[in-house]
Amino acid sequence: MKNQHKWLLAAAAALTASVALQAPAMADPGDSTSVEVTVDIEEIREPGVLAMSIAADSVALAEGDSTLETREFLGTLPTVTVTDTRTMEEVPAGSAWAVLGNATDFAGNSGQAPISAGHLGWKPHLIDGGETGLVAEGEEVVTVLDEPTQPGNNVGLVDQELLVSTFDSGSVAGGAFTVNADLFLRTPADVAAGSYASTLTLSLFE
């Protein structure tokens, strides 16, 4: 019986040794393998914005059809672009946007008396208003030397005057719209000679 027990233990030891010998062998020096690394990157979705840009930061006026009573100087406002990259869902309900402009008095560079901004007027022109028909240019604003073309519009660019607007931001979201304007400065014929400068400020509101 004892001999049989010893034989079983020896067999078990031999089996154990046999199993151990069947373990996977390590890679040989110099062997190589590779691991594929993958990742899924989601597209960044930033909220859209309503923004305005101007094609140039200055414009020079040149003399036009002056008369014995009035000097006239003409130019064109650089193209103004309103870009709306928002979706309709990002636009607050009932919102509207507008670009308004006003000018400072023309200051002389040699001590001349300033020329009031009331002598500067504009006539906006919509270049590209999209296909909805919901973007429109503002009305002409004439100078204090002109007869009104409509009640109260012969004030010049002293206050905030409308360049372009829409009454329904949501319906035009995702578009880009361009506008410029004829600029005209009209002064008395005895205006002092010299160089003058004014700052015309455009502001986008919603």
Side-chain angles (χ1 to χ4, degrees):
M1 190 68 160
K2 290 182 178 180
N3 290 336
Q4 185 179 5
H5 181 67
K6 290 180 179 180
W7 181 86
L8 289 173
L9 289 176
L15 180 60
T16 301
S18 175
V19 171
L21 290 174
Q22 293 177 11
M26 298 295 292
D28 293 333
D31 287 352
S32 62
T33 186
S34 60
V35 177
E36 181 182 15
V37 180
T38 64
V39 61
D40 292 328
I41 299 178
E42 296 288 339
E43 181 181 358
I44 296 176
R45 299 189 62 84
E46 297 182 356
V49 295
L50 177 66
M52 177 183 66
S53 62
I54 306 174
D57 60 5
S58 65
V59 57
L61 305 182
E63 190 149 12
D65 296 328
S66 296
T67 68
L68 294 177
E69 297 179 350
T70 304
R71 301 283 297 273
E72 179 183 69
F73 306 89
L74 307 176
T76 301
L77 180 71
T79 298
V80 176
T81 301
V82 177
T83 304
D84 193 347
T85 60
R86 301 173 296 179
T87 63
M88 292 183 63
E89 291 73 20
E90 292 177 314
V91 180
S95 60
W97 57 255
V99 177
L100 306 179
N102 69 298
T104 62
D105 292 345
F106 284 80
N109 69 342
S110 301
Q112 315 97 294
I115 301 171
S116 166
H119 291 269
L120 179 66
W122 71 10
K123 185 175 183 179
H125 297 286
L126 186 64
I127 300 172
D128 185 354
E131 299 179 354
T132 65
L134 299 177
V135 176
E137 73 268 22
E139 297 289 342
E140 181 181 22
V141 177
V142 295
T143 78
V144 293
L145 295 184
D146 297 309
E147 292 295 326
T149 57
Q150 57 180 335
N153 80 326
N154 63 329
V155 293
L157 299 180
V158 174
D159 204 353
Q160 298 281 1
E161 300 294 344
L162 180 62
L163 178 68
V164 64
S165 68
T166 181
F167 61 85
D168 187 352
S169 297
S171 294
V172 299
F177 315 99
T178 52
V179 63
N180 63 12
D182 298 331
L183 298 176
F184 41 88
L185 176 69
R186 298 190 177 114
T187 71
D190 61 354
V191 63
S195 296
Y196 296 80
S198 169
T199 299
L200 174 57
T201 301
L202 299 176
S203 303
L204 173 63
F205 297 98
E206 184 175 61

